[in-house]
Amino acid sequence: MTYSPPPSPQTPEPHGHSHSHGPAAPVSQHLRKVIAAVLIPFAAAVVVGLLVLWPGGAPGHERSGVGFDRQTEQGRVVQVDKVNCKDVNAAQVPPTGDTSTPEGREAVNAQQGSCEKATIEVTSGKDKGRKFIEIVQPDAPRQLDKGQGVVVAYAPDAPRDLQYSVTDVDRELPMALLAGIFALAVVLVGRMKGVMALVALAISFAVLTLFILPAILQGSNPLIVAVIGASAIMLVSLYLCHGFTARTSVAVLGTLISLLLTGLLGSLFIGWASLTGNTDDNTGLIHGLYPNIDMSGLLLAGVIIGSLGVLDDVTVTQTSAVWELRQADPNMGPRALYRAGIRIGRDHIASVVNTLVLAYAGAALPLLLLFSIAQSSVGTVANSELVAEEIVRTLVGSIGLVASVPVTTALAALVVTADRPGNAAADESPARSGSPVRGGRGRRRKK
């Protein structure tokens, strides 16, 4: 029997984490065509959806002067003086003198302390250089210091002396510095992968701000917009960060299936639980300015977009794990690969679900604290729409996350074992061998 020496063994390098993306086990040309036949129409549909629903900017409206819907300018604190609160009427005591209510007690306390009289100079806009006075009470959560940058709101219909007021402090420098540190850390550790991740992040942000948000404001269905926008973000992010490979394509398919499941479950339970999506001042303001927006659809869109980031992480990890297992033992069949991959997935999903729940709980912590102060029962808290929204958001996202593990693992196991042993290796080998190479067993070393 003639022996043909196999190509040099492709021994996988040790990987410390399952997110590693070494050389992927290749698949045949036929299988690549099958994957392309699924993904190319999907990508084309996403592009068509973007073109059809592209909003061309957010619609204009007359400013209400409420909340974030105010005209703002930049300002700077040029002087701060101590004054008696009573002299500047920092707060008005109730006419009845009743101090039994929290409002009455706060008003009395505000007149008994030492206030700050801050002189603010407007540093942008048509009134640049104009100055106004801001009174800061001693118990105010935001105190002002000389030289500090601030954000000022402009109310053109108010009396001249009351047209400007301080609404926030200027945080541009620390926020920009933090963003720079983040980008530097990603590039130093991730190198070229880190650069691609930052580019993908910028594109994701562009899709969100240039397409998803304006399209919803224009009156498009929030669910359709979210699905198209999330799909565009998914395609760009995964292929840009992990390359145009069969492995990445499997991760895309697993993410897509899990997103569809998340959307179906979200639509079912948001409707069943009669969640309106209009639960706080911000959503109330949006509904007041744009009454045609479907607020429950907006809630569902948030669930889908919020789940996407974690889904990407899980599907890429599972696909990489299956590919690496196959490279380590080419004789593993789809069943064995699935069992090994799902064991890895169970460890990952346990930590990710806990992370997702804690992230939502952390965001709603002030609200949960209020319920705790009111000594409400768990049933009462869970039944309120504010908390029910977070529960539905968390559980629907977690179900989609859990489902992504077996779905992606099964897809990866089927794809990576779809070819007869040796076909993929022969496709890539520079020296074609006459007989197929079987993985690992009975290999002879060339003397």
Side-chain angles (χ1 to χ4, degrees):
M1 180 172 115
T2 305
Y3 171 73
S4 299
S8 58
Q10 297 180 351
T11 305
E13 297 179 2
H15 295 274
H17 194 276
S18 55
H19 282 270
S20 57
H21 298 280
V27 294
S28 70
Q29 189 69 25
H30 172 71
L31 198 55
R32 292 193 191 102
K33 290 180 179 179
V34 172
I35 296 173
V38 176
L39 289 178
I40 290 178
F42 167 65
V46 171
V47 172
V48 170
L50 288 172
L51 294 176
V52 171
L53 296 178
W54 192 263
H61 69 279
E62 186 177 351
R63 290 187 180 273
S64 64
V66 178
F68 290 103
D69 192 40
R70 291 181 288 185
Q71 181 180 340
T72 59
E73 301 290 351
Q74 297 297 312
R76 183 172 57 90
V77 181
V78 295
Q79 186 175 343
V80 177
D81 299 315
K82 294 287 185 181
V83 294
N84 192 307
C85 290
K86 192 173 184 178
D87 294 340
V88 293
N89 295 321
Q92 297 294 328
V93 179
T96 60
D98 181 16
T99 58
S100 60
T101 63
E103 292 82 3
R105 288 193 297 271
E106 289 177 5
V108 171
N109 293 335
Q111 287 200 348
Q112 293 176 346
S114 177
C115 293
E116 290 183 344
K117 181 181 177 182
T119 303
I120 314 296
E121 180 182 2
V122 180
T123 57
S124 66
K126 64 183 183 63
D127 289 332
K128 182 178 180 180
R130 180 174 166 181
K131 296 180 180 179
F132 65 95
I133 302 298
E134 183 85 8
I135 302 299
V136 182
Q137 299 180 14
D139 59 347
R142 181 178 60 244
Q143 300 293 317
L144 300 178
D145 300 315
K146 184 177 180 179
Q148 185 179 26
V150 293
V151 178
V152 297
Y154 174 61
D157 297 333
R160 179 174 174 80
D161 292 341
L162 302 176
Q163 285 182 333
Y164 283 96
S165 61
V166 175
T167 60
D168 211 338
V169 298
D170 186 358
R171 302 182 180 90
E172 288 185 0
L173 179 59
M175 298 297 285
L177 180 60
L178 181 60
I181 295 173
F182 163 74
L184 182 62
V186 170
V187 172
L188 287 178
V189 176
R191 298 185 180 179
M192 196 60 196
K193 289 279 188 181
V195 173
M196 290 295 101
L198 291 177
V199 173
L201 180 62
I203 294 174
S204 300
F205 186 74
V207 171
L208 182 64
T209 56
L210 299 179
F211 172 70
I212 296 178
L213 299 180
I216 292 175
L217 290 178
Q218 292 279 12
S220 299
N221 187 295
L223 176 58
I224 297 176
V225 170
V227 169
I228 293 174
S231 299
I233 291 172
M234 173 184 66
L235 290 171
V236 171
S237 299
L238 288 180
Y239 282 117
L240 191 61
C241 292
H242 308 296
F244 288 88
T245 65
R247 181 164 70 179
T248 305
S249 299
V250 171
V252 168
L253 288 173
T255 305
L256 176 62
I257 294 171
S258 303
L259 272 181
L260 292 176
L261 176 62
T262 301
L264 290 174
L265 286 174
S267 179
L268 172 64
F269 283 95
I270 287 174
W272 194 1
S274 300
L275 299 178
T276 64
N278 189 1
T279 54
D280 57 24
D281 293 341
N282 292 328
T283 53
L285 178 59
I286 292 171
H287 186 64
L289 294 174
Y290 300 95
N292 293 328
I293 291 180
D294 179 7
M295 298 305 293
S296 60
L298 187 62
L299 173 62
L300 180 57
V303 172
I304 293 173
I305 295 171
S307 302
L308 176 61
V310 189
L311 277 175
D312 284 353
D313 176 75
V314 173
T315 54
V316 169
T317 298
Q318 286 305 113
T319 307
S320 298
V322 172
W323 244 262
E324 295 295 338
L325 287 167
R326 175 69 173 179
Q327 282 189 285
D329 186 358
N331 289 322
M332 291 182 73
R335 191 184 300 271
L337 280 173
Y338 177 80
R339 286 198 298 264
I342 207 70
R343 286 195 295 270
I344 297 172
R346 290 191 187 107
D347 290 337
H348 194 201
I349 207 67
S351 59
V352 171
V353 167
N354 192 48
T355 301
L356 191 65
V357 172
L358 290 179
Y360 282 126
L365 199 58
L367 176 65
L368 297 177
L369 187 59
L370 284 177
F371 281 109
S372 179
I373 293 171
Q375 297 182 346
S376 302
S377 65
V378 175
T380 302
V381 172
N383 193 60
S384 66
E385 185 168 1
L386 272 172
V387 178
E389 276 190 8
E390 297 303 326
I391 292 175
V392 170
R393 193 195 310 269
T394 302
L395 296 183
V396 167
S398 297
I399 292 171
L401 196 61
V402 171
S404 70
V405 172
V407 168
T408 308
T409 305
L411 284 173
L414 290 173
V415 168
V416 81
T417 59
D419 301 318
R420 291 190 302 274
N423 282 2
D427 286 345
E428 273 208 343
S429 174
R432 303 297 174 105
S433 169
S435 58
V437 179
R438 305 266 176 186
R441 294 186 179 178
R443 286 186 177 179
R444 304 179 194 175
R445 293 188 175 273
K446 194 174 181 179
K447 299 289 186 182

